[in-house]
Amino acid sequence: MTMGSRAHKSGMVLNEADAAIAKAMLARGDRQHDIAAWFGVNGGRIAEIATGHTFHWVEPYTGELPPPGPYPRGRDAVAALEALAVAEQALHAAREAVLQHQ
């Protein structure tokens, strides 16, 4: 990418159901940054919802909400997936050992 060029769009788009949840999270007092992280969008999209610039007709969701943030960083999620892969290999090896001794 050259200086002054934009990054490729993520393709992440909020729909009305997402906007309803975001509005309820805002009403709960969640930070816009955390809400954006939950949905994987730019914080500006949540600001647009908060100001009524987009989805002004959508009512806040009344069901169970995601847990309040902050949420894990991307690198923490990758580290967790790597740790799960190691644990999965260990469980598989343990299962095989038990089955061989039956």
Side-chain angles (χ1 to χ4, degrees):
M1 190 161 61
T2 61
M3 186 100 155
S5 64
R6 292 179 174 242
H8 296 309
K9 293 186 177 191
S10 70
M12 300 298 297
V13 178
L14 296 174
N15 59 33
E16 288 185 7
D18 296 332
I21 293 169
K23 284 185 175 190
M25 292 172 80
L26 287 164
R28 179 174 68 185
D30 290 18
R31 298 181 313 161
Q32 289 183 12
H33 175 83
D34 292 334
I35 299 168
W38 177 260
F39 288 103
V41 298
N42 181 289
R45 302 303 69 82
I46 304 304
E48 291 170 349
I49 293 170
T51 61
H53 188 266
T54 58
F55 296 107
H56 56 85
W57 62 91
V58 174
E59 294 296 320
Y61 182 68
T62 57
E64 186 173 339
L65 295 175
Y71 302 106
R73 299 173 298 177
R75 65 179 145 198
D76 293 336
V78 169
L81 287 172
E82 290 169 352
L84 286 170
V86 170
E88 183 179 37
Q89 290 173 350
L91 287 170
H92 179 72
R95 183 178 188 276
E96 292 298 317
V98 168
L99 291 174
Q100 286 178 2
H101 291 92
Q102 285 186 351

